[in-house]
Amino acid sequence: MSEKSLLQKLTLENIAIALLIILIAWAIIKVSQYVIHYLAQKVSNRWRLRFLSALPIIRLVVIIEALVLIIPKFITPTVENVMAMLGALAVAIGFAFKDYVSSLIAGLVTLYERPYRPGDWIALDGHYGEVTRVNTRSVELVTQDDNLIIIPHQKIWTDSIVNANGSTNTVMCTANFYLHPDHDGALVYQTLYDVALTSALLRLDLPIKVVVKEHAWGTEYALRGYVLDLCQQGAFITDLTLRGKSALRSLGIQFAAIEPEPETAH
């Protein structure tokens, strides 16, 4: 056999040894999972998280050790073969981490263009929340449901970024009302305006807007105002919606009832 041959001759002994190594590695991973989960249930929450976070590390170490033992059984360990394997590994790693590298480059772009900064309320990748951290690879949002969302910076290449307050302390909120078309528009306009004006969460130094749009099924009213505290957006919209709906009902105004479209046969 040539010294430069990449693959060694397959033998039953090597195959059996490789299968035995795989079986032992699988057993070690399973036993470590059982032991760590058992110990995690016996300790405090602080140590429980540390025990559980060790599982991926143990799994990775076992897999690497198994590969180190198995590969020499099938590949001739020469300088040329090692260099060829390292080259192939570099290509594979580069392909696997292309999204990571793209996010790093996008992170550098965000440092220059600054489309969002900590404290901004943005909509990105279908999520809306407050920017709490801008990392090298990703941006962290906390939504109004108090969920932490981590979004890679590479989304700026393909997605639009909606920045609600643009690094200021003002953000506009909108409460929508859908009414039957037969009503006094001027009365509704003034009623909704007064609802916003009397809200305890409204910033009085900024304008209130009532935008009207007519549809075939009825009339849409968008009541817009600036919230006093950026973190109270949900409470402000809820306040406008509930009090606006109550005020309109007290005037006897009917809300639009949109019937579902009939299903078509396929």
Side-chain angles (χ1 to χ4, degrees):
M1 181 175 58
S2 172
E3 290 184 357
K4 295 185 179 180
S5 176
L6 178 61
L7 297 177
Q8 297 197 48
K9 184 179 179 179
L10 292 178
T11 64
L12 291 177
E13 180 183 357
N14 287 343
I15 294 176
I17 292 175
L19 292 176
L20 180 60
I21 293 173
I22 293 174
L23 180 61
I24 294 174
W26 176 82
I28 292 174
I29 291 175
K30 288 297 182 181
V31 171
S32 63
Q33 288 178 342
Y34 174 81
V35 171
I36 288 180
H37 278 101
Y38 176 79
L39 293 175
Q41 295 175 355
K42 303 296 183 180
V43 296
S44 63
N45 287 334
R46 176 186 174 186
W47 286 100
R48 177 176 178 272
L49 295 177
R50 294 187 179 183
F51 273 114
L52 295 177
S53 64
L55 271 177
I57 299 175
I58 295 174
R59 188 183 302 116
L60 179 62
V61 170
V62 172
I63 292 173
I64 292 176
E65 287 291 337
L67 291 175
V68 169
L69 295 174
I70 291 173
I71 289 176
K73 300 297 181 183
F74 299 98
I75 297 177
T76 306
T78 63
V79 175
E80 293 82 357
N81 292 343
V82 171
M83 294 300 294
M85 289 180 59
L86 289 178
L89 182 62
V91 173
I93 292 175
F95 182 78
F97 282 88
K98 62 182 179 66
D99 290 338
Y100 186 85
V101 174
S102 176
S103 292
L104 290 179
I105 296 173
L108 296 176
V109 173
T110 60
L111 292 177
Y112 173 72
E113 295 187 352
R114 308 188 78 177
Y116 40 71
R117 286 175 272 187
D120 287 354
W121 284 79
I122 67 170
L124 179 62
D125 194 32
H127 302 285
Y128 178 72
E130 181 184 10
V131 176
T132 56
R133 291 185 63 183
V134 179
N135 301 315
T136 305
R137 186 195 67 87
S138 61
V139 57
E140 296 183 7
L141 306 182
V142 174
T143 67
Q144 293 179 323
D145 297 328
D146 200 27
N147 293 325
L148 175 64
I149 308 294
I150 301 175
I151 304 174
H153 289 306
Q154 69 168 345
K155 288 297 181 179
I156 68 172
W157 303 136
T158 56
D159 292 12
S160 299
I161 303 171
V162 179
N163 195 321
N165 61 312
S167 300
T168 66
N169 62 347
T170 61
V171 63
M172 175 182 284
C173 298
T174 302
N176 294 300
F177 301 87
Y178 307 97
L179 306 182
H180 189 279
D182 186 14
H183 63 267
D184 186 343
L187 177 61
V188 170
Y189 184 101
Q190 188 60 49
T191 299
L192 293 179
Y193 187 95
D194 292 340
V195 165
L197 186 62
T198 54
S199 174
L201 302 176
L202 175 72
R203 278 197 59 166
L204 296 173
D205 58 326
L206 294 173
I208 300 170
K209 298 180 181 179
V210 180
V211 180
V212 185
K213 186 176 182 180
E214 196 70 22
H215 300 275
W217 46 262
T219 307
E220 176 185 359
Y221 287 82
L223 177 57
R224 298 172 179 170
Y226 290 87
V227 66
L228 191 62
D229 187 330
L230 300 184
C231 297
Q232 294 178 321
Q233 297 176 55
F236 184 44
I237 294 173
T238 301
D239 177 58
L240 295 181
T241 301
L242 295 181
R243 293 195 304 110
K245 195 169 185 177
S246 176
L248 294 174
R249 284 191 183 280
S250 67
L251 296 175
I253 295 174
Q254 295 183 339
F255 289 81
I258 307 173
E259 296 182 1
E261 297 181 359
E263 296 184 0
T264 57
H266 296 285

